[in-house]
Amino acid sequence: MTHISVTVDGTVYEDEVEPRLLLVHYLRERLGLTGTPIGCDTSNCGTCTVELDGASVKSCTVLAVQADGGEVTTVQGLARDGEWTELQRAFHERHALQCGYCTPGMIMAARDLLRENPHPDSDEVRKALEGNLCRCTGYQNIVRAVLAVAEGETASGERTGSAQEVTA
Amino acid sequence: MTGQAVEREVGRARLRKEDARLITGQTNWTDNITVTGLLHLAILRSPMAHARIERIDVSPALERPGVVAAFSGRELAGGLGSLPCAWPVTEDMVLPDHPPVAVDEVRHAGDPVAVVVARDRYAAADALEAIEVDYEPLPPVLDLEEALAEDAPLVHADKGTNRAYVWPFRTGEDFEALRQRADVVLKRRYRQQRLIPNAMEPRAVVVTPLAASGEFTVYSATQIPHILRIMLSVVTGVPEHKLRVVAPDVGGGFGSKLQVYGEEAIAVEVARRLGRPVKWTESRSEGYLATHHGRGMIQDIEIAATREGRLLGLKVDLLADMGAYLMLVTPGIPILGAFMYPAIYKMDAYEFNCTGVFTTRTPTDAYRGAGRPEATYAIERAMDELAAEVGLDPVEVRRRNWIRHEEFPYTSIAGLTYDSGNYEAATEKALALFGYDGLRAEQQKRNERGDAVRLGIGVSTYTEMCGLAPSRVLRDLRYSAGGWEAASIRMLPTGKVEVVTGTSPHGQGHVTCWSQIAADVLGVPFEDVEVLHGDTLAAPQGMDTYGSRSLVVGGSAVHRAAEKVVDKARRVAAHLLEASEDDLEFKGGVFSVKGSPEARRTIQEVAFETFTSHDVPDGMEPTLNSEYLLDPENFSYPHGTHLCAVEVDTETGQTRIRSYVCVDDVGRVINPVIVEGQVHGGLAQGIAQALYEEAVYDAEGNLVSGTMADYLVPSAADLPDFVTDRTETPAVSNPLGAKGVGEAGTIASTPAVVNAIVDALRPLGVHDVQMPCTPERVWEAVRSAQGQSAPKEASA
């Protein structure tokens, strides 16, 4: 067992963990932060993407001990006082999710892209999200959502209904 | 229906109610569920395709830390029956025993042989390695044609054959006679590669037992909580009324969760034996072996036609890979396809022969479209071949054969009555959006120049049978269940509304659409409607979600249930207003007396009055609730035209989709945003079959494409932007006029893409490319066409 101290979504946790414990299992099973799901066992699908010290990582390829002393942000740590981030709003407004299983990872990966490249074009968005698989949307609306944030267009237009129709 | 209200909600681009939870990570996936005392189940699976289990010893696993119990198949066998097959397509179908854990023999790589239960998932996984199994290898059965040979090794020795069933279907004139007098006879062989559905959420099940009362709650990542409840009761012997099945948030299905899986039965049995809650969650690579696959067919298709390109007859001989066992609807999938080979075309003869074949591979079953994509692929590829043979444009050959809009309703040669449609309108719209003529001109120029990168244009005009319902038709097809759907409406004392639906969504947005439907009929705000689903306690009746049936059957049931509420409310309102029912208008949720608008009651006021029941008509039941079970009279038939332009590099074999346009007619649209999303997702899966995906087995029957690293699920970078549009001819067989949309994109896109690739390469002598059309396969096709004058398979 190894002692770790890690900040997750603003809360500091002190824990004893097996050295082999994956970060995603630490988050889900130990901390109960189940907002980050697991989609594969080969780091191909990206559903478990979180931020570790400001960069997106697939939490199924990081050991919990590697997060020692670090700061982790999951999708559950994004909204502040019930206010969604622009990306969360854009995913909702552009119908960029169906079953929603890939959504936490997609949002975290898109945050990473927009930090690196605040004004990507469509091809750059598609390339940046290559490591995150979605089986429902065909990606088009995900790309639209990310571009909408990049272009500062999160206020919804006619296609996605008026602002009062935003149900959240 | 209340005219004004329709404008208010149905057809409106409502944002989804479902999203808030999913976007903030406040989800309820089955694997998230935990309860006190939870144990983790892990399953040891066969590393071989086919072997006899000579010896199995689970006891060393019990020595491992954290392990609570371990069982071999034989140890579990007493408590569990065979897994069900609900679709005995013929009277004499061979139905092998299918134990949830193999007892004496394994029949595909991944067949379960033993289970371990431990205090955490790491301990359970570790302990699997301690189980000792001696296998005596048996010959694998992999090739569909060889499997039918006299001396072939048998998947189920006790059955004496690998032939599961033979299903013949002949209608119209005699095909053999027609082919004698046809100008053109084309024979082609197409292969439907095996696909792995890949819902993003792996399967999972949690079972919590209540020993004192013999009750069990089963949480499962399933599309079919209601069917699962019945079937699990049969398999485990737990009485149906003691089983509660819950499908919490479910992360996609695409048919792969339309199943009663061994793991679900095992979890119930282990929970029963130990008196403790258990959880099993598959890893992706475990799922590749254990979750059913899709497609897997060899199609020999023959068409007879005139020199002018008019179809006379169609014959299809199909070999369908069942895999090792017949699961819930395995045998029925190709039979669904049988009705769709004639597609949108008129002809005089149709002959279909299907042979279901056992192999030592993972069982096949429903995958998005289920039988209909396969049929559409074969006929749409063949129509292109016919066009090439008679020297017509592929669109023109379709035009000469399709059912014209004034001919609806039209009974196809396969016996389906297509209620409404307009193929001309959808096609014209698609051609215009696509810029068809311009692309053909560019293609010609490139061909004349002999460009290395060729342009190809693919067309696919399709219809499908959706809204799987009419129970009597399902009876005629020997399907064991009905096809109706249930809905109930509960108008609460405060005027809020609970809609209870028997459908069970996993990404399709039922909560939003059902709210729109109910809000319109009841005249209440969209926000005031909640939808309950996916829990046999909260929604006790239903036939669940598959085959694009939810909106057509389930949504229509919601509509009818809401109408019943309005009817009852009208009686109460008339009583309260001391007016005749005939004198009441109902608009925007308000009953008012014609001519004196000040005499009014809102439906919410009426709901409160019927709740207190202080002053309702004599003999009226309290509360403003209703229930409606709807069994439609017909399937629904969406259709559309899909056009794809590809650039194919003849030197590298690389294909790039340059543009993709589709115009779908899915009948009346409840929510255009959701419809568009469903089309996008369907296109991605259909294009993936054309270009990327294949379950590959080696000569020993090992699944070579056994992880996401080996099986190419396309990413955002692999797919283009789609142009989608619609025409709208409402269905006449349901009150919504809806036709179903979930499968359309998948069905139509695969042939559109492959037709485009072949179209690009046809001037080089290529007549077919086997799916998935990888760069290697395309390059090989070009090379072999250049080496030889023409492919041998083209014969008349």
Side-chain angles (χ1 to χ4, degrees):
Chain A
M1 288 291 186
T2 307
H3 181 85
I4 60 168
S5 168
V6 57
T7 305
V8 182
D9 296 336
T11 303
V12 180
Y13 297 88
E14 303 278 341
D15 263 308
E16 302 291 325
V17 298
E18 269 193 90
R20 65 170 174 169
L21 183 69
L22 297 172
L23 177 59
V24 69
H25 285 135
Y26 176 69
L27 295 172
R28 290 178 54 79
E29 312 243 318
R30 190 70 70 86
L31 305 187
L33 293 171
T34 50
T36 302
I38 302 171
C40 73
D41 39 32
T42 46
S43 301
N44 287 82
C45 82
T47 62
C48 66
T49 305
V50 299
E51 280 169 21
L52 176 58
D53 296 329
S56 77
V57 296
K58 292 179 176 177
S59 59
C60 72
T61 43
V62 176
L63 297 167
V65 293
Q66 292 176 286
D68 183 29
E71 193 161 332
V72 174
T73 305
T74 78
V75 74
Q76 287 166 277
L78 296 185
R80 289 271 173 262
D81 304 322
E83 278 292 305
W84 295 358
T85 61
E86 278 184 79
L87 263 171
Q88 286 172 306
R89 285 185 64 82
F91 267 62
H92 175 56
E93 291 173 4
R94 297 295 190 272
H95 187 37
L97 66 153
Q98 289 179 31
C99 82
Y101 200 78
C102 73
T103 308
M106 281 288 178
I107 289 175
M108 301 314 282
R111 278 165 64 89
D112 208 28
L113 162 69
L114 293 177
R115 257 194 313 267
E116 299 276 313
N117 178 3
H119 302 291
D121 63 23
S122 164
D123 282 349
E124 287 169 328
V125 174
R126 285 182 179 277
K127 269 223 134 28
L129 297 180
E130 213 168 5
N132 289 71
L133 300 178
C134 169
R135 198 58 159 170
C136 297
T137 64
Y139 303 105
Q140 186 154 331
N141 287 350
I142 293 174
V143 175
R144 283 180 186 166
V146 177
L147 289 174
V149 173
E151 291 156 13
E153 286 176 6
T154 47
S156 53
E158 176 57 28
R159 199 194 69 82
T160 49
S162 65
Q164 75 210 24
E165 284 182 283
V166 178
T167 54
Chain B
M1 173 174 291
T2 52
Q4 194 169 342
V6 170
E7 290 165 24
R8 208 166 53 104
E9 283 302 338
V10 167
R12 190 167 176 178
R14 276 288 188 189
L15 298 182
R16 295 201 319 170
K17 291 182 171 181
E18 289 89 338
D19 290 355
R21 250 184 18 265
L22 301 169
I23 276 175
T24 54
Q26 296 169 58
T27 38
N28 198 25
W29 313 116
T30 301
D31 187 58
N32 294 3
I33 293 167
T34 189
V35 286
T36 305
L38 183 72
L39 298 175
H40 293 262
L41 184 71
I43 296 176
L44 185 68
R45 297 181 182 280
S46 166
M48 294 184 196
H50 198 193
R52 195 171 295 114
I53 301 170
E54 296 287 341
R55 185 185 75 95
I56 181 161
D57 185 4
V58 299
S59 59
L62 295 169
E63 310 295 316
R64 295 296 182 101
V67 172
V68 173
F71 304 99
S72 68
R74 188 170 296 288
E75 286 166 326
L76 284 177
L80 293 172
S82 186
L83 292 172
C85 173
W87 205 336
V89 291
T90 62
E91 211 164 330
D92 60 352
M93 185 183 80
V94 173
L95 182 55
D97 194 42
H98 185 187
V101 185
V103 177
D104 299 314
E105 195 170 317
V106 291
R107 294 186 173 86
H108 66 89
D111 216 355
V113 296
V115 307
V116 162
V117 190
R119 283 201 295 271
D120 75 66
R121 69 173 84 220
Y122 283 46
D126 284 349
L128 290 183
E129 291 172 14
I131 297 174
E132 293 169 10
V133 192
D134 294 340
Y135 294 101
E136 173 64 32
L138 295 167
V141 181
L142 299 166
D143 183 275
L144 294 182
E145 288 173 299
E146 287 171 15
L148 297 176
E150 280 295 319
D151 56 348
L154 296 172
V155 180
H156 299 276
D158 59 322
K159 298 298 179 189
T161 177
N162 290 323
R163 194 178 272 101
Y165 63 86
V166 177
W167 196 90
F169 181 47
R170 262 156 232 190
T171 169
E173 295 176 35
D174 179 47
F175 180 82
E176 292 305 319
L178 272 185
R179 82 203 294 276
Q180 295 305 320
R181 62 167 207 264
D183 304 322
V184 180
V185 178
L186 290 173
K187 270 175 120 160
R188 293 289 185 271
R189 166 166 281 204
Y190 298 119
R191 286 176 193 274
Q192 296 288 325
Q193 77 270 35
R194 267 181 178 253
L195 299 178
I196 301 181
N198 274 301
M200 289 313 298
E201 181 206 21
R203 284 194 294 122
V205 58
V206 175
V207 176
T208 62
L210 202 62
S213 53
E215 291 171 49
F216 295 84
T217 300
V218 177
Y219 301 89
S220 181
T222 182
Q223 296 174 226
I224 53 163
H226 298 92
I227 296 171
L228 180 61
R229 183 192 192 205
I230 300 165
M231 293 300 182
L232 264 188
S233 171
V234 172
V235 175
T236 64
V238 176
E240 192 182 344
H241 64 302
K242 300 285 189 183
L243 262 183
R244 172 186 174 195
V245 176
V246 184
D249 289 332
V250 176
F254 317 112
S256 71
K257 293 171 181 170
L258 195 196
Q259 193 55 270
V260 178
Y261 280 106
E263 293 86 356
E264 292 165 319
I266 294 166
V268 171
E269 176 63 12
V270 169
R272 173 161 59 187
R273 290 193 188 199
L274 303 180
R276 297 268 302 269
V278 295
K279 178 195 279 187
W280 171 79
T281 303
E282 72 178 4
S283 66
R284 179 66 53 179
S285 41
E286 187 181 18
Y288 273 22
L289 296 168
T291 298
H292 75 236
H293 293 178
R295 316 283 191 260
M297 295 178 192
I298 297 175
Q299 302 164 303
D300 286 309
I301 182 166
E302 197 172 349
I303 55 178
T306 69
R307 196 162 290 114
E308 293 73 39
R310 194 168 303 282
L311 281 178
L312 298 172
L314 170 67
K315 182 178 178 211
V316 179
D317 286 306
L318 191 64
L319 295 181
D321 185 355
M322 305 282 101
Y325 303 100
L326 301 182
M327 298 195 71
L328 192 63
V329 293
T330 304
I333 302 303
I335 307 308
L336 278 177
F339 297 92
M340 293 276 70
Y341 283 89
I344 63 170
Y345 306 118
K346 295 184 277 192
M347 63 192 74
D348 304 318
Y350 176 45
E351 187 176 329
F352 174 89
N353 304 289
C354 177
T355 304
V357 184
F358 291 112
T359 61
T360 52
R361 288 190 277 212
T362 301
T364 59
D365 205 305
Y367 174 54
R368 203 165 189 168
R372 291 151 288 173
E374 298 93 316
T376 304
Y377 179 81
I379 186 67
E380 288 303 289
R381 284 286 300 113
M383 289 302 279
D384 263 32
E385 296 300 296
L386 175 62
E389 185 70 23
V390 300
L392 283 173
D393 183 279
V395 176
E396 177 57 24
V397 86
R398 287 167 173 81
R399 227 176 242 136
R400 289 187 185 187
N401 287 290
W402 68 32
I403 302 150
R404 294 188 309 274
H405 73 275
E406 67 270 19
E407 293 175 283
F408 287 93
Y410 183 90
T411 301
S412 81
I413 191 152
L416 301 175
T417 300
Y418 300 163
D419 58 342
S420 70
N422 189 335
Y423 308 137
E424 300 95 313
T427 304
E428 289 311 318
K429 198 168 186 179
L431 291 172
L433 279 170
F434 189 63
Y436 188 78
D437 296 339
L439 283 164
R440 281 283 179 216
E442 181 187 336
Q443 177 186 39
Q444 198 180 338
K445 266 191 203 134
R446 286 200 194 198
N447 288 347
E448 282 162 5
R449 286 199 305 259
D451 282 5
V453 177
R454 296 296 175 106
L455 184 66
I457 295 163
V459 58
S460 159
T461 46
Y462 77 98
T463 188
E464 61 164 321
M465 51 200 280
C466 280
L468 292 189
S471 296
R472 287 173 185 209
V473 176
L474 297 180
R475 172 201 63 193
D476 293 344
L477 294 173
R478 302 180 55 85
Y479 178 61
S480 301
W484 47 265
E485 196 47 86
S488 42
I489 305 272
R490 301 200 289 250
M491 232 174 141
L492 305 176
T494 54
K496 307 292 180 190
V497 177
E498 287 178 333
V499 172
V500 180
T501 177
T503 65
S504 190
H506 29 284
Q508 298 93 335
H510 291 184
V511 172
T512 301
C513 294
W514 281 211
S515 294
Q516 290 178 272
I517 293 166
D520 263 3
V521 179
L522 298 172
V524 302
F526 171 77
E527 293 76 13
D528 284 359
V529 185
E530 191 52 78
V531 179
L532 311 181
H533 60 77
D535 179 345
T536 60
L537 196 63
Q541 301 184 99
M543 286 294 173
D544 307 318
T545 289
Y546 52 90
S548 287
R549 69 186 300 280
S550 288
L551 180 64
V552 175
V553 194
S556 293
V558 170
H559 180 94
R560 289 283 188 235
E563 283 181 333
K564 274 175 87 170
V565 166
V566 173
D567 287 346
K568 184 171 179 182
R570 184 189 302 278
R571 293 208 299 282
V572 177
H575 172 80
L576 294 170
L577 292 165
E578 295 178 351
S580 144
E581 280 182 51
D582 298 337
D583 289 340
L584 286 191
E585 276 188 335
F586 182 60
K587 223 175 187 178
V590 178
F591 293 96
S592 57
V593 179
K594 285 177 200 159
S596 43
E598 68 288 351
R600 63 202 296 277
R601 285 287 189 285
T602 65
I603 193 165
Q604 290 88 349
E605 288 166 342
V606 175
F608 188 76
E609 289 291 346
T610 46
F611 162 69
T612 65
S613 258
H614 292 170
D615 185 17
V616 294
D618 288 345
M620 176 167 274
E621 275 185 274
T623 77
L624 211 47
N625 296 348
S626 75
E627 180 175 77
Y628 199 96
L629 281 87
L630 181 110
D631 198 351
E633 68 210 38
N634 193 359
F635 300 110
S636 59
Y637 302 94
H639 69 82
T641 298
H642 287 224
L643 292 161
C644 177
V646 296
E647 288 181 348
V648 184
D649 188 327
T650 56
E651 288 170 356
T652 65
Q654 188 71 44
T655 297
R656 185 180 77 87
I657 294 180
R658 188 164 114 179
S659 63
Y660 196 102
V661 169
C662 62
V663 174
D664 294 294
D665 192 326
V666 297
R668 185 158 292 135
V669 167
I670 308 302
N671 186 322
V673 176
I674 287 175
V675 164
E676 190 191 20
Q678 291 274 303
V679 172
H680 286 172
L683 293 177
Q685 284 184 21
I687 291 169
Q689 175 171 14
L691 295 179
Y692 302 118
E693 297 186 21
E694 181 171 22
V696 180
Y697 285 80
D698 69 13
E700 275 74 51
N702 299 305
L703 181 63
V704 178
S705 55
T707 71
M708 269 191 171
D710 308 299
Y711 183 98
L712 205 168
V713 174
S715 76
D718 299 312
L719 293 168
D721 272 324
F722 310 115
V723 176
T724 63
D725 209 329
R726 289 195 308 274
T727 54
E728 198 167 308
T729 52
V732 300
S733 57
N734 67 69
L736 295 172
K739 293 187 173 179
V741 65
E743 296 158 316
T746 303
I747 289 171
S749 59
T750 312
V753 173
V754 178
N755 278 344
I757 293 169
V758 175
D759 182 63
L761 302 177
R762 205 181 286 280
L764 304 174
V766 173
H767 289 245
D768 195 24
V769 180
Q770 159 67 32
M771 294 190 291
C773 302
T774 58
E776 186 187 359
R777 286 218 175 98
V778 170
W779 183 80
E780 275 292 346
V782 171
R783 211 184 58 128
S784 77
Q786 285 168 342
Q788 304 150 22
S789 56
K792 286 195 198 96
E793 56 164 0
S795 64

